[in-house]
Amino acid sequence: MTHIYQLTQITKELLLADDQERLRKAATRLHSLFSNLTGIDDSIDPVDSQDTLLQKGKAISPNDAARCVLDHTRTSKFLRGTHTALIEAQKRFPNERIEVLYAGCGPFGTLAIPLATQFSASQVQFTLLDIHERSLTSVERLFQTFGLRDHVRDYIQADAASYVHQNPPHVIITETMQRGLEKEPQAAITLNLAPQLRQGGIFIPEQITIDACLYDPSKEFSHRVRISLGPILELAAETSYMPAVVLDIPGEVDQSLGLMLRTKIRVFESVVLDEYETGLTHPVILHDFSWTEGGTRIEFAYSLGSEPGFKYRWL
C-alpha cells in the first residue's frame, strides 16, 4: 500500500466518519504514518523535545506538536472546518488559486498535508510557517514523500506573532493554543496575522470564546453544575484589542462553588469544539479562587506577554 494511498484513506475517515472509535483509529494511523516517515515523536534528540520561549508565549516542541494529532476530535474537527473553509474560499474568490498561510504548522503540517490530497496544486497553495527549523524540515520531507511538493509555495522559519507576509492570503490557519488561551501565543498570532488577510478572507479558527462560570467541584463528573457569569474574551479576525471585562457575581450564591474558565472554538461555520470535547476545551479551574476576599464583581484581564493567560481580581 503506497504512502499517498494510506494518507488519502485516513483523510477520508477524518473528514467523513461519524463514529468516535473510527476517528480515534484514523488519528492514530495518521500519527504513525507521519512519525514513521519523519522520526519525530519517537525521537530521542533533545532538540525535538525542546519548547521555545518567545516574547508572546511558548512554542511547544516538535515532539509535543506531533502528539497533538492523537487528540482525534480536535484533529478531525479542525480538518473538517478547514476543508469547508477552503471550499468557501473558492466560492468567494472564483478562478483564483487559494493562498493559505499556515502559522505554527508543526512537524506534521496536520491541517495542510491531508487536505492537499483533496485539492490540486492549481487550486490551493500552502505557505508553511514555524519557529522550529526541525518542524519545517520534517513537514517538507512529508510533502516530498507523498508527492505533494507542488502544493507548497514556501517554508518560512519565523515567529508568527511578528511575521509579515508578502501578499495577503485568502486563508490563514493557526492552531497554537491551549485551553483558556494559556501559555501559547494564539491570541498574539491572531492579532498580528488577521489584519494581513485578503478582504473577504477566512481565518481559522473563526472564533474562540472564553467565558467564566461558577461550578460545583463535587458534581463535576456526575450532575454538572454551571452558573454562567458571562464571556470574558471573544477572539476572531476582527479582534483588534482585548479589554478587561468586569462580571457581576449573583447574590445569595452557594460559597462552596468554584470558578472556572470555559473555552469554545468555532473552527468554521457549524464546526464547533465544545467543553470537554478536546484537550483544548477542557475547563481551566482557578484553584486560587477564594470567597473570603469577597465582593460583588470580578475583573478579568488577558495578558499578552511571554506567559499569556488571564488574571483576575475581586472588585
Side-chain angles (χ1 to χ4, degrees):
M1 202 188 306
T2 64
H3 293 318
I4 186 65
Y5 177 79
Q6 289 180 68
L7 177 64
T8 306
Q9 294 306 110
I10 293 167
T11 302
K12 282 182 184 169
E13 278 286 273
L14 289 167
L15 289 175
L16 299 170
D18 54 7
D19 172 86
Q20 287 299 310
E21 184 57 20
R22 279 174 64 190
L23 289 173
R24 189 189 64 75
K25 285 180 177 172
T28 302
R29 285 170 61 209
L30 186 67
H31 177 269
S32 296
L33 178 63
F34 286 171
S35 183
N36 290 339
L37 290 170
T38 62
I40 296 267
D41 200 15
D42 297 330
S43 168
I44 54 171
D45 186 333
V47 171
D48 293 347
S49 300
Q50 208 156 17
D51 297 335
T52 299
L53 300 178
L54 303 166
Q55 286 186 327
K56 297 292 177 69
K58 178 176 75 174
I60 62 171
S61 72
N63 276 351
D64 285 344
R67 282 183 207 115
C68 293
V69 176
L70 296 168
D71 187 342
H72 63 275
T73 307
R74 166 188 187 167
T75 298
S76 64
K77 287 204 173 180
F78 261 94
L79 278 171
R80 289 171 195 213
T82 306
H83 184 249
T84 305
L86 291 174
I87 293 168
E88 175 59 27
Q90 289 181 314
K91 292 175 187 166
R92 292 186 194 180
F93 304 99
N95 306 318
E96 291 188 44
R97 183 186 285 176
I98 302 305
E99 295 288 343
V100 181
L101 173 62
Y102 185 3
C105 62
F108 291 169
T110 308
L111 302 179
I113 292 174
L115 294 180
T117 67
Q118 305 298 300
F119 299 90
S120 69
S122 62
Q123 291 176 310
V124 175
Q125 286 282 294
F126 292 96
T127 297
L128 289 302
L129 177 75
D130 204 277
I131 195 70
H132 294 122
E133 183 182 1
R134 177 73 166 109
S135 287
L136 291 171
T137 54
S138 167
V139 81
E140 182 173 7
R141 182 174 183 175
L142 288 173
F143 269 105
Q144 289 178 348
T145 301
F146 293 121
L148 297 169
R149 71 174 79 185
D150 290 349
H151 285 73
V152 180
R153 165 105 30 230
D154 206 357
Y155 301 92
I156 296 170
Q157 186 179 5
D159 180 350
S162 56
Y163 171 76
V164 178
H165 200 56
Q166 287 188 320
N167 299 301
H170 301 92
V171 177
I172 295 176
I173 306 164
T174 188
E175 197 267 87
T176 44
M177 64 178 289
Q178 295 184 23
R179 59 196 192 136
L181 291 175
E182 293 180 328
K183 298 173 184 167
E184 289 188 54
Q186 178 84 28
I189 291 172
T190 302
L191 292 176
N192 177 50
L193 293 182
Q196 302 183 46
L197 261 179
R198 272 282 289 273
Q199 187 75 33
I202 298 169
F203 200 93
I204 300 292
E206 201 169 24
Q207 186 175 55
I208 300 168
T209 305
I210 313 290
D211 79 331
C213 71
L214 300 174
Y215 79 106
D216 185 340
S218 68
K219 296 179 179 171
E220 185 58 14
F221 297 102
S222 53
H223 304 289
R224 213 170 273 162
V225 173
R226 296 283 184 271
I227 300 172
S228 179
L229 303 179
I232 57 174
L233 178 65
E234 289 185 351
L235 183 66
E238 310 78 62
T239 306
S240 55
Y241 71 110
M242 296 182 290
V245 173
V246 176
L247 299 177
D248 293 314
I249 299 291
E252 303 298 311
V253 74
D254 182 350
Q255 299 207 348
S256 68
L257 299 180
L259 182 63
M260 66 160 54
L261 305 183
R262 296 187 294 181
T263 306
K264 180 176 180 176
I265 303 167
R266 191 169 81 232
V267 182
F268 186 67
E269 292 182 344
S270 63
V271 183
V272 173
L273 285 161
D274 275 315
E275 186 181 0
Y276 279 118
E277 268 199 272
T278 155
L280 298 180
T281 58
H282 272 233
V284 176
I285 308 297
L286 301 178
H287 293 289
D288 57 352
F289 173 73
S290 165
W291 289 97
T292 54
E293 295 167 46
T296 57
R297 301 190 302 163
I298 299 181
E299 179 189 71
F300 293 89
Y302 188 77
S303 165
L304 274 169
S306 57
E307 294 184 27
F310 285 94
K311 296 181 169 59
Y312 70 95
R313 62 186 181 120
W314 283 98
L315 297 180

